[in-house]
Amino acid sequence: MERPAWAPPGIDISVPSVSRIYDYYLGGSHNFEVDRQAARRAMEFLPGLPKIMQANRAFMRRAVRHAVAEGITQFLDIGSGIPTFGNVHEIARQASPEARVVYVDHDPVAVAHSQAVLAGDDRTDVVAADLRKPQDILAAPEVTRLLDLDRPVALLLVAVLHFLEDTDDPYTAVAQLRDALAPGSMLILTHASYEGIPLAEEVAVGAVGVYRDIRNPLVMRTREEVTGFFDGLELLEPGLVSMPDWRPELTESPADGDTPEDPFAFSGFAGVGRKA
């Protein structure tokens, strides 16, 4: 397989990548056939996966605009993936030109793409780090340079926590990040779940098996389990809901309300919490 110029040296392009699979679902071009094959296998069980990912991105855009409207101009996006149109810094800058954003991902492809997209932007940066080690993220020079943790920050954990198994202690990781943030900060979160999927669980579980096969287990949590990530925070109205149901009035473009009539768009949960 020929290595394209955008693929960083040292990565195994014969192994599927979660971030490249996500890019494929969103219609991006930074993925390989091995990623597309994995995506198509998952879609045999969950044909609405692209609609779920579109709804996820649309929620993220609305939540970022809400954070800026509440006076937050600092963003820490963990598990940010490969940059696509309408990413956090683009949406935040539209609302506040002074917005500062730090992206974090442990996928070298996602990090390399982010570095290329953000070259020359002194108010945005990227960190190669893992959510499982929050203290490494908080101590990263890119974070300490750009973000003032004594002021409110919007922490984005969008479509990432479901890739942490219970043995990774995801609740402790989120709590450590929460405790490091100033009052007034927000947690913007989405999470996969069997709840809301317009298919029987015994069918949808096939897609989960595909992710397990590529050694990126997908953990489907219940409403109660996802709500636990907001411990110590005020869960803002309308609470923990499906992605299209979170403040649809904040939609500013078709991309912010991607075909909400599609039943798959209502799979999983989205919510925003605020630290008192």
Side-chain angles (χ1 to χ4, degrees):
M1 182 188 304
E2 184 177 351
R3 180 182 297 272
W6 54 263
I11 67 165
D12 186 349
I13 62 176
S14 68
V15 176
S17 153
V18 166
S19 62
R20 296 196 306 263
I21 291 171
Y22 187 78
D23 177 70
Y24 173 74
Y25 289 143
L26 291 174
S29 59
H30 295 105
N31 48 77
F32 303 123
E33 182 56 28
V34 67
D35 306 306
R36 296 188 284 273
Q37 288 175 356
R40 288 192 288 264
R41 286 201 307 273
M43 289 169 62
E44 290 176 4
F45 301 98
L46 272 180
L49 276 166
K51 294 300 182 185
I52 296 172
M53 304 311 170
Q54 291 165 16
N56 184 76
R57 296 287 297 186
F59 159 77
M60 179 274 289
R61 297 181 185 111
R62 298 195 304 275
V64 166
R65 278 197 291 270
H66 173 72
V68 175
E70 293 295 309
I72 296 178
T73 58
Q74 303 186 106
F75 296 84
L76 179 60
D77 184 1
I78 302 178
S80 50
I82 295 173
T84 60
F85 175 76
N87 218 316
V88 173
H89 70 283
E90 295 171 334
I91 301 302
R93 294 270 176 81
Q94 290 171 6
S96 174
E98 299 306 310
R100 294 171 176 262
V101 180
V102 177
Y103 294 107
V104 181
D105 208 290
H106 74 289
D107 185 327
V109 174
V111 172
H113 276 292
S114 298
Q115 290 170 335
V117 169
L118 304 174
D121 186 337
D122 61 1
R123 284 177 286 118
T124 311
D125 213 334
V126 59
V127 177
D130 195 310
L131 175 55
R132 297 171 184 86
K133 298 180 179 179
Q135 297 306 322
D136 290 352
I137 295 173
L138 295 168
E142 297 87 350
V143 172
T144 58
R145 178 180 72 85
L146 277 177
L147 304 183
D148 179 0
L149 298 186
D150 292 327
R151 295 174 46 240
V153 173
L155 168 64
L156 287 92
L157 298 175
V158 176
V160 63
L161 284 167
H162 45 236
F163 291 113
L164 269 62
E165 298 183 272
D166 291 342
T167 53
D168 294 318
D169 203 2
Y171 294 97
T172 296
V174 174
Q176 290 180 6
L177 291 165
R178 175 203 66 209
D179 291 347
L181 301 181
S185 295
M186 290 184 180
L187 169 61
I188 297 171
L189 180 153
T190 65
H191 200 294
S193 176
Y194 288 119
E195 298 180 45
I197 294 178
L199 291 172
E201 182 175 327
E202 54 267 29
V203 177
V205 74
V208 175
V210 172
Y211 281 90
R212 183 180 60 248
D213 291 345
I214 64 171
R215 300 182 181 180
N216 281 281
L218 180 62
V219 182
M220 307 289 265
R221 294 189 169 96
T222 65
R223 174 185 291 275
E224 181 180 4
E225 289 170 330
V226 177
T227 301
F229 289 115
F230 291 96
D231 283 354
L233 302 170
E234 173 196 3
L235 190 57
L236 302 183
E237 291 294 334
L240 191 67
V241 296
S242 67
M243 292 175 288
D245 287 330
W246 196 88
R247 304 201 180 192
E249 71 276 6
L250 296 178
T251 297
E252 288 191 359
S253 72
D256 297 326
D258 285 312
T259 56
E261 70 278 2
D262 188 293
F264 280 98
F266 295 85
S267 307
F269 295 112
V272 177
R274 179 168 52 207
K275 184 173 180 179

